[in-house]
Amino acid sequence: MLNRRNFLTAAVGVAAATGLAACAKEDDSSSTSSSGGGGKKITLGFSQVGSESGWRTANTDSVKSAAKEAGYSLKFSDAQQKQENQISAIRSFIAQKVDVIAFSPVVVTGWDAVLKEAKAKKIPVVLTDRSVETSDDSLFVTLVGSDFTDEGRRAAKILEKVLEKAGHKGNVKIAQLEGTTGAAPAIERAKGFKEVMDADHKDDWKIVVSQTGDFTRAGGKQVMAAFLQSNPDINVLFAHNDDMAIGAIQSIEAAGKKPGKDILIVSIDGVKDGFVAMSEGKINAIVECNPLLGPQLMEVVQKVKDGETVERWIKTKESDFMQDQAKDALPTRKY
Ligand code: AHR
């Protein structure tokens, strides 16, 4: 969590000074209208993690459409899940003298140097979706995003309901598919889940195997296949996102087992494909993580530009869903 982070001094092993790394993708989208109060149009530089999941696609769409709606000039860069690409993008935004920089950091550490460069040029930085660890609190203004530790706790609590509903008796042997190594949602979701497990299930639950699937379907599929080889008696899967759960389902079926029955599955996000898998009985419960952060982000950017004070952490509202809610909820899912 943001307020519990240790302050680390990070060394950024990146040489690039300005300009985007060759493999990062940048696009410019400028709207013709001016921002809110009729003043100069705000130029926002946004560095996105990548396009690793359905959640990320929905988040990108939300940011782009909200920027258009707000009348901002958006400089959007896709880092393809590489920190060095994000650092290069941020340096490029600084060189282009954007008004505000926003980014969703691929990992939590290693940002001090580039954030100091933005501060030296008086360009405010807003974090969105994921947080960072910095040596200096003043290096970013605010975080607009979810409480990932709480999502981990909620996943453990909803697993209790899933086990009860399935009439599960005996030991719970959990496989955990972690998100990208070093990313805030991977660290914090694992932490929140473990917190509940250590407090309430010391004797009956055990994480027998845990590895990163990098938040991707391919990663989830590949790692789950290996889990099933090494631990064929797994009876629960906790996946840090829906995409990895969906990939894992393919491996579970290929191993001749029934997802949602032989292996109970809890995942996080709540994307449409996750709801489809839930309505087919293959995922047992989903903890929602809301990707539609664009409108809140644009509001904050305007306030920051106007010199207004904003909260240090603007949290997102989210719900939890059990399998029996999936069919009703599916038609209303926007992403
Ligand atoms: O940071 C949010 C996480 O990143 C989402 O849960 C996951 O799907 C995405 O890749």
Side-chain angles (χ1 to χ4, degrees), residues 122-165:
K122 298 190 170 38
I123 301 177
V125 174
V126 172
L127 301 179
T128 169
D129 165 32
R130 301 179 179 181
S131 190
V132 298
E133 290 175 353
T134 56
S135 60
D136 172 359
D137 265 355
S138 73
L139 293 179
F140 67 92
V141 184
T142 182
L143 164 68
V144 180
S146 304
D147 184 337
F148 297 134
T149 309
D150 201 49
E151 288 175 354
R153 289 187 202 110
R154 285 161 49 205
K157 295 311 280 180
I158 211 161
L159 176 59
E160 291 173 349
K161 286 194 199 165
V162 165
L163 290 164
E164 197 189 323
K165 200 152 193 280

Short mmCIF file of all heavy atoms in Angstrom, two decimals, residues 122-165:
data_model
loop_
_atom_site.label_atom_id
_atom_site.label_comp_id
_atom_site.label_asym_id
_atom_site.label_seq_id
_atom_site.Cartn_x
_atom_site.Cartn_y
_atom_site.Cartn_z
N LYS A 122 9.84 21.23 -13.25
CA LYS A 122 8.54 21.65 -12.71
C LYS A 122 7.36 21.03 -13.45
O LYS A 122 6.32 21.68 -13.65
CB LYS A 122 8.41 23.18 -12.69
CG LYS A 122 9.45 23.87 -11.82
CD LYS A 122 9.13 25.34 -11.65
CE LYS A 122 9.95 26.06 -10.62
NZ LYS A 122 11.35 25.71 -10.49
N ILE A 123 7.52 19.80 -13.88
CA ILE A 123 6.40 19.10 -14.52
C ILE A 123 5.80 18.12 -13.50
O ILE A 123 6.48 17.18 -13.07
CB ILE A 123 6.84 18.33 -15.79
CG1 ILE A 123 7.46 19.30 -16.79
CG2 ILE A 123 5.65 17.58 -16.41
CD1 ILE A 123 8.01 18.66 -18.06
N PRO A 124 4.54 18.35 -13.07
CA PRO A 124 3.96 17.45 -12.08
C PRO A 124 3.70 16.05 -12.65
O PRO A 124 3.36 15.90 -13.82
CB PRO A 124 2.62 18.12 -11.71
CG PRO A 124 2.39 19.17 -12.73
CD PRO A 124 3.65 19.44 -13.48
N VAL A 125 3.87 15.04 -11.79
CA VAL A 125 3.67 13.64 -12.19
C VAL A 125 2.51 13.04 -11.40
O VAL A 125 2.48 13.14 -10.17
CB VAL A 125 4.95 12.81 -11.96
CG1 VAL A 125 4.69 11.33 -12.23
CG2 VAL A 125 6.09 13.33 -12.82
N VAL A 126 1.57 12.44 -12.13
CA VAL A 126 0.43 11.76 -11.51
C VAL A 126 0.57 10.27 -11.82
O VAL A 126 0.76 9.89 -12.97
CB VAL A 126 -0.90 12.30 -12.10
CG1 VAL A 126 -2.08 11.48 -11.61
CG2 VAL A 126 -1.09 13.77 -11.76
N LEU A 127 0.49 9.44 -10.77
CA LEU A 127 0.52 7.98 -11.00
C LEU A 127 -0.90 7.49 -11.22
O LEU A 127 -1.83 7.98 -10.57
CB LEU A 127 1.11 7.26 -9.79
CG LEU A 127 2.52 7.64 -9.39
CD1 LEU A 127 2.94 6.83 -8.16
CD2 LEU A 127 3.50 7.41 -10.53
N THR A 128 -1.05 6.54 -12.12
CA THR A 128 -2.36 5.97 -12.34
C THR A 128 -2.26 4.45 -12.33
O THR A 128 -1.26 3.90 -12.79
CB THR A 128 -3.00 6.53 -13.64
OG1 THR A 128 -4.15 5.75 -13.92
CG2 THR A 128 -2.08 6.46 -14.81
N ASP A 129 -3.24 3.81 -11.72
CA ASP A 129 -3.31 2.34 -11.59
C ASP A 129 -2.31 1.80 -10.57
O ASP A 129 -2.70 1.24 -9.57
CB ASP A 129 -3.16 1.69 -12.99
CG ASP A 129 -2.88 0.21 -12.96
OD1 ASP A 129 -3.36 -0.45 -12.03
OD2 ASP A 129 -2.19 -0.28 -13.88
N ARG A 130 -1.00 1.97 -10.81
CA ARG A 130 0.01 1.35 -9.94
C ARG A 130 0.88 2.39 -9.25
O ARG A 130 1.15 3.45 -9.83
CB ARG A 130 0.91 0.45 -10.77
CG ARG A 130 0.17 -0.66 -11.48
CD ARG A 130 1.12 -1.50 -12.31
NE ARG A 130 0.43 -2.58 -12.99
CZ ARG A 130 1.03 -3.48 -13.75
NH1 ARG A 130 2.33 -3.42 -13.93
NH2 ARG A 130 0.34 -4.44 -14.34
N SER A 131 1.36 2.04 -8.08
CA SER A 131 2.19 2.96 -7.31
C SER A 131 3.69 2.66 -7.50
O SER A 131 4.06 1.69 -8.14
CB SER A 131 1.82 2.86 -5.84
OG SER A 131 2.45 3.90 -5.13
N VAL A 132 4.51 3.53 -6.91
CA VAL A 132 5.97 3.34 -6.94
C VAL A 132 6.54 3.49 -5.54
O VAL A 132 5.88 4.04 -4.66
CB VAL A 132 6.68 4.37 -7.86
CG1 VAL A 132 6.23 4.24 -9.29
CG2 VAL A 132 6.48 5.80 -7.36
N GLU A 133 7.77 3.05 -5.35
CA GLU A 133 8.51 3.34 -4.12
C GLU A 133 9.54 4.40 -4.47
O GLU A 133 10.33 4.21 -5.40
CB GLU A 133 9.22 2.08 -3.62
CG GLU A 133 8.26 1.04 -3.10
CD GLU A 133 8.93 -0.27 -2.70
OE1 GLU A 133 10.15 -0.42 -2.96
OE2 GLU A 133 8.23 -1.14 -2.16
N THR A 134 9.52 5.51 -3.73
CA THR A 134 10.48 6.58 -4.01
C THR A 134 11.19 7.00 -2.73
O THR A 134 10.70 6.74 -1.63
CB THR A 134 9.78 7.84 -4.57
OG1 THR A 134 8.77 8.22 -3.64
CG2 THR A 134 9.19 7.62 -5.93
N SER A 135 12.31 7.68 -2.88
CA SER A 135 13.04 8.16 -1.70
C SER A 135 12.48 9.50 -1.25
O SER A 135 12.82 10.01 -0.20
CB SER A 135 14.52 8.33 -2.05
OG SER A 135 14.64 9.27 -3.10
N ASP A 136 11.59 10.07 -2.08
CA ASP A 136 11.12 11.43 -1.83
C ASP A 136 9.64 11.51 -2.24
O ASP A 136 9.31 11.40 -3.42
CB ASP A 136 12.00 12.38 -2.66
CG ASP A 136 11.50 13.82 -2.65
OD1 ASP A 136 10.47 14.10 -2.01
OD2 ASP A 136 12.16 14.66 -3.30
N ASP A 137 8.80 11.73 -1.24
CA ASP A 137 7.34 11.77 -1.48
C ASP A 137 6.90 12.84 -2.47
O ASP A 137 5.84 12.74 -3.07
CB ASP A 137 6.64 12.08 -0.14
CG ASP A 137 6.21 10.83 0.55
OD1 ASP A 137 6.37 9.75 -0.05
OD2 ASP A 137 5.71 10.92 1.69
N SER A 138 7.71 13.88 -2.61
CA SER A 138 7.29 14.99 -3.47
C SER A 138 7.51 14.69 -4.95
O SER A 138 7.22 15.52 -5.81
CB SER A 138 8.04 16.27 -3.09
OG SER A 138 9.38 16.18 -3.54
N LEU A 139 8.02 13.49 -5.28
CA LEU A 139 8.31 13.20 -6.69
C LEU A 139 7.06 12.88 -7.51
O LEU A 139 7.11 12.83 -8.73
CB LEU A 139 9.33 12.06 -6.80
CG LEU A 139 10.74 12.40 -6.27
CD1 LEU A 139 11.67 11.19 -6.40
CD2 LEU A 139 11.33 13.59 -7.02
N PHE A 140 5.95 12.58 -6.83
CA PHE A 140 4.68 12.48 -7.56
C PHE A 140 3.58 13.10 -6.71
O PHE A 140 3.70 13.19 -5.48
CB PHE A 140 4.36 11.02 -7.95
CG PHE A 140 4.06 10.09 -6.80
CD1 PHE A 140 2.76 9.90 -6.35
CD2 PHE A 140 5.08 9.41 -6.16
CE1 PHE A 140 2.48 9.04 -5.30
CE2 PHE A 140 4.82 8.55 -5.11
CZ PHE A 140 3.51 8.37 -4.67
N VAL A 141 2.53 13.54 -7.39
CA VAL A 141 1.49 14.29 -6.68
C VAL A 141 0.46 13.36 -6.05
O VAL A 141 0.08 13.54 -4.90
CB VAL A 141 0.76 15.25 -7.67
CG1 VAL A 141 -0.25 16.11 -6.94
CG2 VAL A 141 1.75 16.12 -8.41
N THR A 142 0.01 12.39 -6.81
CA THR A 142 -1.08 11.54 -6.32
C THR A 142 -1.10 10.22 -7.09
O THR A 142 -0.47 10.10 -8.14
CB THR A 142 -2.44 12.27 -6.49
OG1 THR A 142 -3.48 11.45 -5.98
CG2 THR A 142 -2.77 12.57 -7.93
N LEU A 143 -1.82 9.26 -6.55
CA LEU A 143 -2.08 8.00 -7.25
C LEU A 143 -3.59 7.87 -7.45
O LEU A 143 -4.36 7.99 -6.49
CB LEU A 143 -1.58 6.80 -6.44
CG LEU A 143 -2.12 5.42 -6.84
CD1 LEU A 143 -1.60 4.99 -8.21
CD2 LEU A 143 -1.75 4.35 -5.81
N VAL A 144 -4.00 7.64 -8.70
CA VAL A 144 -5.40 7.33 -8.99
C VAL A 144 -5.45 5.84 -9.28
O VAL A 144 -4.96 5.40 -10.32
CB VAL A 144 -5.90 8.12 -10.23
CG1 VAL A 144 -7.36 7.80 -10.51
CG2 VAL A 144 -5.70 9.62 -10.05
N GLY A 145 -5.99 5.05 -8.36
CA GLY A 145 -6.01 3.60 -8.61
C GLY A 145 -6.54 2.80 -7.45
O GLY A 145 -6.94 3.33 -6.41
N SER A 146 -6.49 1.49 -7.62
CA SER A 146 -7.10 0.55 -6.68
C SER A 146 -6.21 0.25 -5.48
O SER A 146 -4.99 0.45 -5.54
CB SER A 146 -7.37 -0.78 -7.38
OG SER A 146 -8.15 -0.58 -8.51
N ASP A 147 -6.83 -0.32 -4.46
CA ASP A 147 -6.10 -0.83 -3.30
C ASP A 147 -5.84 -2.32 -3.55
O ASP A 147 -6.70 -3.17 -3.30
CB ASP A 147 -6.95 -0.62 -2.03
CG ASP A 147 -6.21 -1.04 -0.77
OD1 ASP A 147 -5.28 -1.86 -0.88
OD2 ASP A 147 -6.57 -0.55 0.31
N PHE A 148 -4.67 -2.63 -4.08
CA PHE A 148 -4.38 -4.02 -4.49
C PHE A 148 -4.27 -4.96 -3.29
O PHE A 148 -4.59 -6.15 -3.40
CB PHE A 148 -3.07 -4.08 -5.30
CG PHE A 148 -3.11 -3.32 -6.60
CD1 PHE A 148 -2.06 -2.48 -6.96
CD2 PHE A 148 -4.17 -3.45 -7.48
CE1 PHE A 148 -2.07 -1.79 -8.17
CE2 PHE A 148 -4.19 -2.77 -8.69
CZ PHE A 148 -3.13 -1.93 -9.03
N THR A 149 -3.77 -4.45 -2.16
CA THR A 149 -3.67 -5.32 -0.97
C THR A 149 -5.06 -5.77 -0.56
O THR A 149 -5.30 -6.93 -0.23
CB THR A 149 -2.97 -4.57 0.19
OG1 THR A 149 -1.76 -4.02 -0.29
CG2 THR A 149 -2.66 -5.51 1.35
N ASP A 150 -5.98 -4.82 -0.62
CA ASP A 150 -7.35 -5.17 -0.26
C ASP A 150 -7.95 -6.15 -1.27
O ASP A 150 -8.72 -7.04 -0.89
CB ASP A 150 -8.20 -3.89 -0.15
CG ASP A 150 -9.43 -4.17 0.69
OD1 ASP A 150 -9.27 -4.75 1.79
OD2 ASP A 150 -10.55 -3.88 0.23
N GLU A 151 -7.59 -5.99 -2.53
CA GLU A 151 -8.07 -6.97 -3.53
C GLU A 151 -7.60 -8.38 -3.17
O GLU A 151 -8.35 -9.35 -3.32
CB GLU A 151 -7.59 -6.59 -4.93
CG GLU A 151 -8.30 -5.36 -5.49
CD GLU A 151 -7.73 -4.88 -6.82
OE1 GLU A 151 -6.70 -5.42 -7.29
OE2 GLU A 151 -8.32 -3.95 -7.40
N GLY A 152 -6.36 -8.50 -2.70
CA GLY A 152 -5.83 -9.81 -2.28
C GLY A 152 -6.61 -10.36 -1.09
O GLY A 152 -6.95 -11.54 -1.06
N ARG A 153 -6.91 -9.47 -0.14
CA ARG A 153 -7.71 -9.90 1.03
C ARG A 153 -9.09 -10.34 0.57
O ARG A 153 -9.60 -11.38 1.00
CB ARG A 153 -7.90 -8.72 2.01
CG ARG A 153 -6.67 -8.33 2.74
CD ARG A 153 -7.02 -7.26 3.80
NE ARG A 153 -5.85 -6.51 4.16
CZ ARG A 153 -5.63 -5.23 3.84
NH1 ARG A 153 -6.52 -4.53 3.18
NH2 ARG A 153 -4.51 -4.64 4.21
N ARG A 154 -9.68 -9.54 -0.32
CA ARG A 154 -11.04 -9.88 -0.81
C ARG A 154 -11.03 -11.21 -1.55
O ARG A 154 -11.99 -11.99 -1.46
CB ARG A 154 -11.55 -8.76 -1.72
CG ARG A 154 -11.99 -7.52 -0.95
CD ARG A 154 -12.05 -6.27 -1.82
NE ARG A 154 -12.76 -6.45 -3.07
CZ ARG A 154 -12.54 -5.70 -4.17
NH1 ARG A 154 -11.65 -4.73 -4.15
NH2 ARG A 154 -13.22 -5.91 -5.26
N ALA A 155 -9.94 -11.49 -2.27
CA ALA A 155 -9.84 -12.78 -3.00
C ALA A 155 -9.84 -13.94 -2.00
O ALA A 155 -10.51 -14.96 -2.22
CB ALA A 155 -8.58 -12.80 -3.85
N ALA A 156 -9.12 -13.78 -0.89
CA ALA A 156 -9.09 -14.85 0.12
C ALA A 156 -10.46 -15.00 0.78
O ALA A 156 -10.92 -16.13 1.01
CB ALA A 156 -8.02 -14.55 1.16
N LYS A 157 -11.10 -13.88 1.06
CA LYS A 157 -12.42 -13.95 1.71
C LYS A 157 -13.45 -14.60 0.78
O LYS A 157 -14.28 -15.40 1.21
CB LYS A 157 -12.92 -12.54 2.12
CG LYS A 157 -12.10 -11.85 3.20
CD LYS A 157 -11.81 -12.68 4.42
CE LYS A 157 -12.91 -12.78 5.42
NZ LYS A 157 -12.50 -13.63 6.59
N ILE A 158 -13.37 -14.28 -0.50
CA ILE A 158 -14.35 -14.86 -1.43
C ILE A 158 -14.03 -16.34 -1.66
O ILE A 158 -14.94 -17.15 -1.90
CB ILE A 158 -14.47 -14.04 -2.74
CG1 ILE A 158 -15.90 -14.17 -3.28
CG2 ILE A 158 -13.47 -14.45 -3.80
CD1 ILE A 158 -16.30 -13.11 -4.27
N LEU A 159 -12.76 -16.72 -1.54
CA LEU A 159 -12.42 -18.14 -1.65
C LEU A 159 -13.08 -18.94 -0.52
O LEU A 159 -13.52 -20.08 -0.74
CB LEU A 159 -10.90 -18.33 -1.64
CG LEU A 159 -10.40 -19.78 -1.65
CD1 LEU A 159 -10.92 -20.55 -2.88
CD2 LEU A 159 -8.88 -19.85 -1.62
N GLU A 160 -13.18 -18.35 0.65
CA GLU A 160 -13.88 -19.03 1.76
C GLU A 160 -15.30 -19.39 1.32
O GLU A 160 -15.78 -20.49 1.53
CB GLU A 160 -13.95 -18.13 3.00
CG GLU A 160 -12.60 -17.89 3.66
CD GLU A 160 -12.65 -16.85 4.79
OE1 GLU A 160 -13.69 -16.16 4.93
OE2 GLU A 160 -11.65 -16.74 5.52
N LYS A 161 -15.97 -18.42 0.68
CA LYS A 161 -17.36 -18.65 0.22
C LYS A 161 -17.40 -19.72 -0.87
O LYS A 161 -18.30 -20.57 -0.90
CB LYS A 161 -17.95 -17.36 -0.36
CG LYS A 161 -18.31 -16.33 0.66
CD LYS A 161 -19.17 -15.26 0.00
CE LYS A 161 -19.18 -13.99 0.80
NZ LYS A 161 -19.68 -12.84 0.06
N VAL A 162 -16.44 -19.65 -1.78
CA VAL A 162 -16.38 -20.62 -2.89
C VAL A 162 -16.21 -22.03 -2.34
O VAL A 162 -16.90 -22.97 -2.78
CB VAL A 162 -15.21 -20.24 -3.86
CG1 VAL A 162 -14.87 -21.39 -4.79
CG2 VAL A 162 -15.55 -18.99 -4.65
N LEU A 163 -15.31 -22.18 -1.36
CA LEU A 163 -15.07 -23.51 -0.78
C LEU A 163 -16.31 -24.03 -0.09
O LEU A 163 -16.66 -25.21 -0.20
CB LEU A 163 -13.89 -23.43 0.22
CG LEU A 163 -12.51 -23.20 -0.42
CD1 LEU A 163 -11.51 -22.76 0.64
CD2 LEU A 163 -12.01 -24.48 -1.11
N GLU A 164 -16.99 -23.12 0.60
CA GLU A 164 -18.21 -23.51 1.32
C GLU A 164 -19.29 -23.96 0.33
O GLU A 164 -19.91 -25.01 0.49
CB GLU A 164 -18.70 -22.32 2.15
CG GLU A 164 -19.69 -22.73 3.23
CD GLU A 164 -20.32 -21.52 3.88
OE1 GLU A 164 -19.62 -20.51 4.08
OE2 GLU A 164 -21.54 -21.60 4.16
N LYS A 165 -19.44 -23.15 -0.73
CA LYS A 165 -20.46 -23.45 -1.73
C LYS A 165 -20.18 -24.79 -2.43
O LYS A 165 -21.11 -25.54 -2.77
CB LYS A 165 -20.48 -22.32 -2.76
CG LYS A 165 -21.73 -22.24 -3.55
CD LYS A 165 -22.02 -20.82 -4.02
CE LYS A 165 -23.43 -20.72 -4.52
NZ LYS A 165 -23.60 -21.23 -5.87
#
